[in-house]
Amino acid sequence: MQLATYFTSFTFSLFGNSIANVVLPVLVLVSTGEALSAGLVALASGASTFVFGLLSGPLIDRYDRRLLASAGDLVSASSIGLLATVGTFGELSLTWFIISAFLSGIGDMPAWNAREAMIYGVQRHSRVALQTLVGVRETVSALAIVLGPTFAGLLMNFFDARLVLWVTAATSLIAGTLCLAAPRAYGRMDKSEGESSKITYWTSFRDGIVFLGRSKNAVLRALTGLNVASVMLVSILQGLLIPVFMTLRDVGYANGPALAAVGLGLLSGGVIYALVGTKVHAWPLTLGASLLNVVGLVLLVQFYSVIYTIVMCFFFGLSSAAVGAVTGVVSLQVTPEEMRGRINGLQNSFSMVIGPLGIFLTAWLISGTSVTSAGWALVIFWMIVNALFLLNKRVRRAVQESQ
């Protein structure tokens, strides 16, 4: 029962974020009528998330993680509740969206980091193998990422988006309450976790940069660059291009199924790789999946129809999963175990900034040109990234040796 409390809290937190990722871009576009507004909101959220995500590290390793995760969820619930209140009793404006996005960033990342770190306390208290707990957590996360957008799309199909905000706020509120109800032992840090758990995000950022700068880590630099570029690409698609297209077609509710299709494609690709990944040569698989991924993006940004876009979202997610699986294996092999936490911290830090920045720049491009032009600019960017990655001889050798 106590384990169920932890995982239910984890699910509701991620579920709420998944719904917000669908509703907010559409609501910003409908309320303001400008793609650039969506970019400014994303920038405010990204800046807040980056700063408070970094600052939360020392707090998480010093104070009760259970209380910190609960507090972060309650802040997130308050930020969405603010929008819901204004939307219900007043008129939403760009200012309100920016304020809410900034407040949301204060709560989201610290809550996520604290809840992730709680896994050690959960393992000690429950005596369940850490691998089992992580496996359940990842499965629950994948389901929430797929089901959240689908549920949001259904709600938006029958109700006004402003009303859906109340549901989003409620999920974060439930997540924070359940986390608070979890055993106190879940939030305590034990010395047995080792020194690596005490590394702050600032230290991760600095050490990761120094480590990547060494000449022998050229492959890891290429992999890190590909991962960060991929995060920016997906952020732009999910946070701007697809919502803009759906809003222009006056089918904002279809944004949910489209994002769910990307998640379902990622899940399916992961399952396929798990079944056949060891039976196929790594380099041909990487080359083929990368090319299919570029082709998938080219087809996706045509935005011929709603159904077509949803199908292409699935195809894009499917090919992305194959590339991510192979490069993930190589990344683990070329990263010393004692540096994996710091490299992950560095990548997460970059991702917090690069995603919102990419959304803002693309929104600025759309405001000056069109969605089609922005889509093709994204295609050219992704072609260049993949070309630099695939033509790197060291990368090719590392992938071949990873088999």
Side-chain angles (χ1 to χ4, degrees):
M1 184 61 184
Q2 293 173 334
L3 272 179
T5 302
Y6 170 76
F7 284 116
T8 304
S9 171
F10 192 94
T11 302
F12 268 98
S13 181
L14 193 56
F15 194 70
N17 287 339
S18 298
I19 296 175
N21 289 339
V22 173
V23 178
L24 288 178
V26 172
L27 197 53
V28 171
L29 292 167
V30 170
S31 300
T32 65
E34 297 180 2
L36 190 58
S37 297
L40 290 171
V41 172
L43 207 58
S45 176
S48 176
T49 300
F50 177 72
V51 172
F52 287 94
L54 292 175
L55 294 177
S56 68
L59 297 178
I60 290 169
D61 285 340
R62 183 173 300 178
Y63 299 106
D64 191 324
R65 294 166 174 175
R66 180 181 57 94
L67 296 178
L68 290 171
S70 178
D73 284 328
L74 295 179
V75 170
S76 297
S78 300
S79 68
I80 299 297
L82 173 66
L83 274 187
T85 302
V86 174
T88 302
F89 301 104
E91 193 68 32
L92 288 172
S93 65
L94 178 59
T95 301
W96 284 116
F97 284 114
I98 290 177
I99 291 173
S100 175
F102 185 84
L103 291 175
S104 181
I106 294 176
D108 284 347
M109 189 53 65
W112 177 264
N113 290 334
R115 192 175 272 105
E116 289 258 302
M118 278 173 63
I119 197 72
Y120 295 103
V122 174
Q123 192 276 326
R124 286 193 303 272
H125 188 267
S126 66
R127 300 187 182 277
V128 176
L130 188 61
Q131 292 86 347
T132 301
L133 293 175
V134 171
V136 173
R137 188 181 66 186
E138 293 305 308
T139 302
V140 165
S141 299
L143 287 174
I145 290 173
V146 173
L147 296 179
T150 304
F151 183 67
L154 289 173
L155 287 176
M156 291 177 68
N157 192 25
F158 295 103
F159 304 101
D160 186 272
R162 292 172 177 81
L163 295 177
V164 182
L165 287 175
W166 287 109
V167 178
T168 309
T171 57
S172 295
L173 181 61
I174 292 172
T177 304
L178 286 174
C179 192
L180 200 61
R184 292 184 178 181
Y186 283 10
R188 295 173 187 154
M189 189 181 78
D190 190 86
K191 294 180 180 179
S192 62
E193 291 178 26
E195 291 299 316
S196 60
S197 66
K198 299 178 182 178
I199 297 173
T200 66
Y201 286 91
W202 288 112
T203 306
S204 298
F205 191 87
R206 183 198 64 204
D207 291 353
I209 288 288
V210 172
F211 184 75
L212 282 178
R214 297 173 184 171
S215 59
K216 66 177 182 179
N217 294 322
V219 174
L220 188 56
R221 282 197 298 273
L223 291 168
T224 301
L226 179 68
N227 289 337
V228 172
S230 177
V231 168
M232 184 173 76
L233 174 69
V234 173
S235 297
I236 293 171
L237 285 173
Q238 294 184 337
L240 188 67
L241 281 189
I242 295 175
V244 167
F245 167 72
M246 297 301 182
T247 304
L248 290 175
R249 290 293 184 97
D250 199 26
V251 287
Y253 60 86
N255 189 42
L259 300 193
V262 176
L264 189 59
L266 289 169
L267 272 177
S268 302
V271 171
I272 293 173
Y273 179 79
L275 294 174
V276 304
T278 58
K279 302 175 184 178
V280 181
H281 290 295
W283 179 248
L285 177 61
T286 304
L287 186 62
S290 297
L291 294 176
L292 284 176
N293 193 232
V294 172
V295 171
L297 181 61
V298 172
L299 295 174
L300 173 57
V301 299
Q302 303 308 307
F303 296 124
Y304 286 126
S305 68
V306 173
I307 297 298
Y308 170 88
T309 301
I310 292 174
V311 172
M312 287 301 106
C313 282
F314 174 81
F315 180 73
F316 178 78
L318 189 71
S319 55
S320 296
V323 178
V326 177
T327 55
V329 171
V330 178
S331 181
L332 285 173
Q333 292 178 342
V334 299
T335 308
E337 186 172 356
E338 66 274 11
M339 285 299 301
R340 286 174 186 168
R342 277 165 279 194
I343 293 300
N344 287 339
L346 175 66
Q347 291 178 347
N348 291 336
S349 298
F350 276 137
S351 299
M352 290 179 212
V353 176
I354 200 69
L357 183 60
I359 292 176
F360 173 76
L361 293 175
T362 306
W364 176 76
L365 182 60
I366 291 175
S367 65
T369 56
S370 65
V371 176
T372 302
S373 299
W376 279 111
L378 206 59
V379 167
I380 293 172
F381 162 78
W382 195 231
M383 284 181 172
I384 293 173
V385 169
N386 276 270
L388 292 174
F389 179 76
L390 295 173
L391 294 176
N392 190 316
K393 294 181 179 179
R394 293 185 179 181
V395 168
R396 178 174 182 175
R397 189 180 308 116
V399 172
Q400 289 172 336
E401 293 173 352
S402 69
Q403 190 80 22

